[in-house]
């Protein structure tokens, strides 16, 4: 059973004071705590503590700096979600186009083009549930006009989640030329590397969709660092611990956008965000000191 009693906003503020938190404008604090939960903000002040057992704060730890971190992270999530949306839409488009032309409108049910038939049954079942839940007009029209007929891939995949798209791609037979072609159109020489990137990107997308913290959070899935890229985005291969932070994956997202959305303003908007929140310690997200001089991050 829970051992702690709930606290009013006034009690929350008093507790922060007791632990050493400072305030530049204490009158404004209740507004924030009434609209952003104490526990959500806790993730942003965690690193400000000298004692993580008794939760004592370092000197010069200001509540307003916590709010700045929170706002930086909120804008960062929106920015990266924009980037991932472009990747998701492009992946959906390329799967539909390449596989439908080569294997017909119901290729996602053709188990002969997948490596694991049992796994594909599970993926197809999940996709079927996504189709049933969809309220998209084109799906409802299909159900009216073609009762008991499964929708063509260009309809079905339009309502598929990124997770389903990623699993579909991964399970495609490795010998299919279309699988390699799709990876190459995203800038990857290896379909395995691209599939690994999609899985990691899906995890980040889901973190963002649930409004969870990106700043100083860990990537919970290990992914491959792509080999033999024509234009490597950075000059080194990040270690497993480096890949556990956001910088490495964000770098690959920016790299991929240069192939599918070359006029994207995502990188420029990130520079603006860094300038606006210049006090945010981005090294906590795995950004190295020389990140601005890495090939993909050099300002044009």
């Amino acid at each position: 059973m829970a051992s702690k009693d709930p606290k009013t906003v006034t009690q929350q503020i008093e507790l922060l004071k007791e632990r050493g938190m400072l305030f530049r404008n204490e009158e404004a604090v209740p507004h924030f705590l009434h609209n952003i939960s104490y526990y959500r903000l806790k993730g942003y002040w965690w690193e400000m503590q000298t004692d993580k057992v008794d939760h004592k704060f370092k000197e010069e730890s200001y509540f307003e700096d916590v709010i700045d971190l929170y706002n930086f992270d909120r804008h960062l999530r929106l920015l990266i979600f924009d980037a991932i949306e472009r990747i998701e839409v492009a992946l959906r488009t390329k799967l539909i186009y390449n596989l439908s032309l080569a294997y017909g409108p119901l290729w996602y049910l053709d188990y002969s083009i997948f490596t694991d038939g049992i796994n594909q049954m599970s993926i197809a079942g999940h996709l079927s549930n996504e189709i049933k839940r969809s309220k998209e007009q084109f799906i409802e029209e299909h159900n009216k006009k073609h009762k008991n007929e499964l929708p063509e891939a260009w309809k079905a995949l339009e309502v598929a989640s990124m997770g389903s798209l990623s699993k579909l791609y991964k399970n495609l037979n490795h010998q299919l030329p279309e699988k390699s072609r799709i990876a190459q159109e995203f800038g990857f020489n290896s379909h395995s590397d691209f599939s690994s990137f999609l899985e990691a990107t899906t995890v980040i997308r889901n973190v963002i969709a649930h409004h969870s913290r990106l700043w100083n959070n860990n990537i919970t899935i290990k992914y491959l660092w792509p080999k033999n890229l024509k234009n490597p985005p950075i000059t080194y291969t990040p270690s497993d611990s480096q890949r556990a932070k956001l910088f490495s994956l964000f770098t690959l997202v920016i790299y991929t956008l240069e192939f599918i959305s070359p006029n994207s303003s995502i990188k420029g908007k990130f520079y603006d965000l860094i300038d606006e929140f210049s006090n945010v310690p981005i090294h906590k997200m795995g950004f190295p000191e020389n990140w601005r001089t890495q090939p993909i991050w050099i300002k044009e």
Side-chain angles (χ1 to χ4, degrees):
M1 294 179 65
S3 59
K4 294 183 179 179
D5 294 326
K7 289 179 171 57
T8 65
V9 164
T10 300
Q11 290 172 324
Q12 291 171 14
I13 294 170
E14 288 304 313
L15 182 59
L16 290 173
K17 284 182 178 180
E18 290 172 13
R19 292 173 172 176
M21 180 74 80
L22 301 175
F23 305 88
R24 296 188 180 98
N25 181 8
E26 190 172 333
E27 291 182 359
V29 175
H31 166 79
F32 290 109
L33 289 175
H34 276 298
N35 291 284
I36 311 169
S37 77
Y38 180 99
Y39 205 80
R40 177 175 288 271
L41 290 175
K42 186 177 181 179
Y44 298 94
W45 69 53
W46 185 257
E47 293 295 327
M48 293 181 173
Q49 298 174 124
T50 54
D51 182 342
K52 292 182 172 64
V53 176
D54 292 326
H55 306 293
K56 298 297 183 182
F57 290 102
K58 301 173 185 176
E59 293 183 5
E60 301 298 308
S61 293
Y62 282 90
F63 182 81
E64 288 76 9
D65 293 337
V66 176
I67 297 301
D68 278 348
L69 269 177
Y70 173 82
N71 283 325
F72 167 82
D73 191 52
R74 182 169 59 85
H75 289 295
L76 179 65
R77 291 197 307 269
L78 292 172
L79 188 64
I80 295 182
F81 194 81
D82 182 1
I84 294 175
E85 179 191 16
R86 298 169 193 236
I87 293 169
E88 181 179 343
V89 169
L91 174 62
R92 180 178 285 115
T93 301
K94 294 177 188 300
L95 281 169
I96 292 170
Y97 183 79
N98 286 282
L99 278 301
S100 296
L101 287 178
Y103 305 104
L106 296 177
W107 60 265
Y108 63 96
L109 297 173
D110 180 358
Y111 293 176
S112 70
I113 66 171
F114 293 96
T115 60
D116 186 333
I118 295 176
N119 186 29
Q120 190 56 29
M121 286 179 66
S122 175
I123 296 169
H126 186 75
L127 179 55
S128 176
N129 289 332
E130 289 176 323
I131 293 168
K132 289 175 183 176
R133 290 195 300 267
S134 176
K135 301 300 181 184
E136 289 284 355
Q137 185 176 355
F138 60 86
I139 292 293
E140 292 183 346
E141 285 294 315
H142 175 89
N143 291 335
K144 287 179 184 177
K145 296 179 180 178
H146 307 283
K147 287 184 179 180
N148 301 319
E149 292 183 20
L150 292 167
E152 302 91 334
W154 47 88
K155 296 176 186 175
L157 267 63
E158 281 295 335
V159 300
S161 66
M162 187 167 182
S164 292
L165 296 172
S166 174
K167 290 173 182 176
L168 270 173
Y169 178 82
K170 183 178 182 178
N171 200 32
L172 285 171
N173 192 297
H174 301 332
Q175 280 70 48
L176 295 184
E178 293 78 16
K179 188 170 189 177
S180 295
R181 184 183 307 138
I182 291 171
Q184 290 166 3
E185 289 180 356
F186 281 90
F188 289 76
N189 290 325
S190 161
H191 61 73
S192 296
D193 289 344
F194 181 54
S195 181
S196 183
F197 165 74
L198 290 177
E199 288 182 287
T201 304
T202 300
V203 169
I204 287 298
R205 184 207 177 282
N206 292 339
V207 167
I208 297 170
H210 289 91
H211 316 295
S212 299
R213 175 172 46 89
L214 276 186
W215 178 81
N216 198 28
N217 206 346
N218 286 333
I219 309 297
T220 58
I221 183 173
K222 289 186 177 181
Y223 61 95
L224 302 173
W225 189 256
K227 304 177 185 68
N228 304 319
L229 298 180
K230 184 177 180 181
N231 297 305
I234 56 178
T235 58
Y236 61 95
T237 298
S239 65
D240 286 346
S241 61
Q242 289 171 322
R243 272 176 267 173
K245 291 296 184 180
L246 182 65
F247 174 73
S248 298
L249 186 57
F250 190 19
T251 292
L252 288 181
V253 167
I254 295 296
Y255 168 81
T256 302
L257 288 183
E258 294 199 345
F259 289 85
I260 62 168
S261 187
N263 296 317
S264 162
S265 59
I266 300 291
K267 187 162 64 172
K269 288 179 179 178
F270 179 71
Y271 290 136
D272 293 341
L273 184 62
I274 291 295
D275 291 341
E276 182 180 355
F277 295 92
S278 56
N279 292 327
V280 169
I282 60 173
H283 69 276
K284 295 287 187 180
M285 300 186 295
F287 280 70
E289 288 187 11
N290 68 339
W291 71 273
R292 291 179 184 268
T293 65
Q294 291 297 316
I296 198 74
W297 289 107
I298 294 174
K299 276 191 175 182
E300 298 174 355

